[in-house]
Amino acid sequence: MDDKSKNVLALGIVLVLVALSWWAFWPLDKKISQGLDLRGGLSVILTAEPAPGQPLTEDMMNRAETILTERVNALGVSEASVQRSGADALLVQIPGIKDSREALKTLGSTGRLDFVDARSITATDVALEYGAVLPEGAYPESAIIVTGANVKSAGVTVDQSNRPAVSLDFDKQGADAWAKYTTANVGQAIVITLDGVVQSVATIRQPITDGKTMISGTFTAEEAKRLAAVLQAGALPVKLTPSSTQIVGPTLGQESLKQGLLAGLAGFGLVALFMLVYYRGFGLLSWFSLASYLSLLFGIIALLSRAGAYSLSLPGVAGLVLTVGLAADSSILIFERFKEEVRMGKTFRSAAKSGTRHALITSLNADLVTLVSAIAIFIFAIGPVKGFALTLALGIVCDLFVAFLFTRSAVMLLAESVVHKAPALFGVKGGQDV
């Protein structure tokens, strides 16, 4: 296969991939996921505090991370994330959550569930009813019949009055203790508390020997869902205190996206105008290069969004705008090196072949340095900064791909067919015939 056939084939491959990319990312608002800062939601850093006198261990943090992940997933939201932030904190991001404050309350709840003999509660000044807060030490440890540690599974159900409730299934140890107590104390009252707050006060009407129990009260459906999420995940080994909380409204997020895209389009337009005025015919070619580059980048982003591995955030938009400049740089290097070799007296064909090769080597070296920086940021950064690094890295890969297969091939084909006939149209001076 000669050089011309190879260049035509390269252009054909790029065009096919561009068409597939459009199929993958259009319409943009439906195919590309938006991050928390664009959709709105909750971002909070929870700092761990172990019990007094206990050191904070790696096992505690790993357990806390696992429990928070289960609680977040149980809230029924998508694309939420829980990740470590330093040695003693966890970063939780939940995009699209409707009630951020209640979600924060659910995440920070220690989740200690106690089933207590009501007769042992010494806080006589507190009415035992749903929502009552018991003082610390309101009942002795010996009064606890079973705890949340004995909960095997929890879910949302309805009670006999068709009100939302939480169903529990105890493990064997819990079921045995529960059966023994309820059998011996029919007619007595028990109090169910979560982190010292009364969730339910019930009277034992008959022995419960199968380990299945229901917590009923004046729950709303959302409250029952959150309580089930806490119980299903288990109690946190440490106390988590919010040290930094950011609640973003969806309206603010969309306005930020609008402003970011407007800035991107303005930058893209100025770059395109400069390229056309300064490079003329090659400037027009750079439009197609940039369009191909953006199409491929959006296509990859859409595929990653579909796989749940990418959400576009404001830092991601910044990375997107930055890579447009990098893509324009690659075209400029190719055009300038071609013009320089023509001025040196080479034929247009020879100048296109050697000039574009040398330009791509320079572009490759420069882009690899930036790519290494982007990878380092992605590995060590947390939160939205990762989105910036990932977008930048993807943009560099797409830029090199388009420069090698599209821009270089197009310049070589134009040098053989058009440029030598009308060099002034491409801003080229001197040179020999093809």
Side-chain angles (χ1 to χ4, degrees):
M1 184 180 293
D2 57 19
D3 288 343
K4 185 176 182 179
S5 299
K6 291 179 181 176
N7 291 329
V8 171
L9 178 61
L11 292 180
I13 291 174
V14 173
L15 291 176
V16 169
L17 291 177
V18 167
L20 291 174
S21 296
W22 274 81
W23 172 79
F25 73 71
W26 195 262
L28 279 172
D29 59 335
K30 297 185 182 298
K31 296 295 184 67
I32 295 181
S33 303
Q34 296 179 6
L36 182 145
D37 54 354
L38 299 180
R39 289 176 57 189
L42 171 68
S43 176
V44 57
I45 295 178
L46 298 168
T47 302
E49 299 177 16
Q54 286 188 356
L56 182 63
T57 65
E58 187 68 15
D59 286 342
M60 288 180 178
M61 291 302 297
N62 290 335
R63 176 65 178 155
E65 183 178 359
T66 301
I67 290 173
L68 281 185
T69 300
E70 292 182 14
R71 289 184 182 183
V72 168
N73 292 336
L75 291 175
V77 295
S78 61
E79 300 165 19
S81 65
V82 178
Q83 53 188 305
R84 295 285 291 273
S85 176
D88 63 347
L90 293 161
L91 170 65
V92 182
Q93 294 185 310
I94 312 175
I97 191 75
K98 293 180 180 177
D99 193 338
S100 301
R101 300 186 193 284
E102 285 300 321
L104 183 59
K105 184 178 176 182
T106 301
L107 294 176
S109 171
T110 304
R112 172 168 175 165
L113 180 74
D114 290 338
F115 287 68
V116 184
D117 188 328
R119 294 169 293 184
S120 63
I121 295 178
T122 58
T124 55
D125 56 335
V126 178
L128 296 180
E129 58 186 14
Y130 174 72
V133 180
L134 298 178
E136 188 171 352
Y139 51 85
E141 291 289 327
S142 58
I144 300 173
I145 308 160
V146 289
T147 71
N150 300 117
V151 175
K152 187 167 65 177
S153 63
V156 178
T157 184
V158 293
D159 61 14
Q160 295 177 340
S161 302
N162 207 30
R163 295 177 302 184
V166 177
S167 62
L168 299 176
D169 190 6
F170 290 119
D171 59 15
K172 187 176 186 310
Q173 181 183 0
D176 290 344
W178 193 230
K180 182 178 179 182
Y181 180 84
T182 55
T183 301
N185 293 275
V186 174
Q188 296 297 325
I190 59 167
V191 179
I192 304 173
T193 68
L194 179 68
D195 295 336
V197 178
V198 175
Q199 301 296 317
S200 182
V201 180
T203 301
I204 303 171
R205 301 190 183 282
Q206 59 184 10
I208 304 174
T209 57
D210 58 359
K212 298 184 184 301
T213 302
M214 177 188 297
I215 303 176
S216 59
T218 56
F219 299 124
T220 64
E222 283 299 315
E223 288 171 341
K225 186 177 180 182
R226 285 193 289 270
L227 178 57
V230 171
L231 298 179
Q232 178 67 42
L236 285 167
V238 292
K239 181 182 179 183
L240 293 176
T241 304
S243 56
S244 174
T245 305
Q246 181 185 16
I247 299 175
V248 182
T251 303
L252 178 61
Q254 290 305 306
E255 183 63 24
S256 299
L257 176 61
K258 182 180 176 182
Q259 296 293 334
L261 291 178
L262 186 61
L265 289 174
F268 183 82
L270 289 174
V271 170
L273 180 62
F274 168 80
M275 296 296 287
L276 182 63
V277 171
Y278 193 82
Y279 290 102
R280 307 176 195 176
F282 282 140
L284 188 60
L285 171 61
S286 73
W287 289 15
F288 290 98
S289 297
L290 289 175
S292 300
Y293 154 77
L294 286 174
S295 298
L296 293 177
L297 179 57
F298 279 130
I300 294 174
I301 288 175
L303 292 177
L304 291 176
S305 294
R306 186 176 301 178
Y310 185 94
S311 293
L312 183 64
S313 60
L314 282 178
V317 173
L320 193 63
V321 175
L322 178 60
T323 57
V324 170
L326 293 176
D329 281 347
S330 298
S331 295
I332 290 173
L333 279 173
I334 291 174
F335 301 155
E336 288 295 337
R337 191 59 189 256
F338 168 71
K339 291 163 65 176
E340 182 182 345
E341 299 217 3
V342 169
R343 285 196 297 271
M344 291 168 60
K346 290 187 177 180
T347 64
F348 288 100
R349 176 184 297 172
S350 175
K353 190 171 184 177
S354 62
T356 54
R357 185 176 66 251
H358 292 142
L360 286 176
I361 292 174
T362 304
S363 181
L364 177 62
N365 292 334
D367 281 354
L368 283 180
V369 172
T370 309
L371 182 60
V372 170
S373 301
I375 292 174
I377 294 173
F378 182 80
I379 293 174
F380 295 108
I382 61 173
V385 181
K386 276 183 176 288
F388 168 80
L390 180 57
T391 306
L392 180 59
L394 293 175
I396 291 171
V397 173
C398 291
D399 169 41
L400 291 174
F401 182 83
V402 171
F404 272 90
L405 286 189
F406 183 84
T407 310
R408 181 175 189 244
S409 301
V411 169
M412 292 179 67
L413 289 173
L414 289 173
E416 294 179 12
S417 59
V418 180
V419 179
H420 71 283
K421 296 178 181 176
L425 186 61
F426 293 86
V428 180
K429 297 179 181 178
Q432 302 178 27
D433 204 353
V434 177

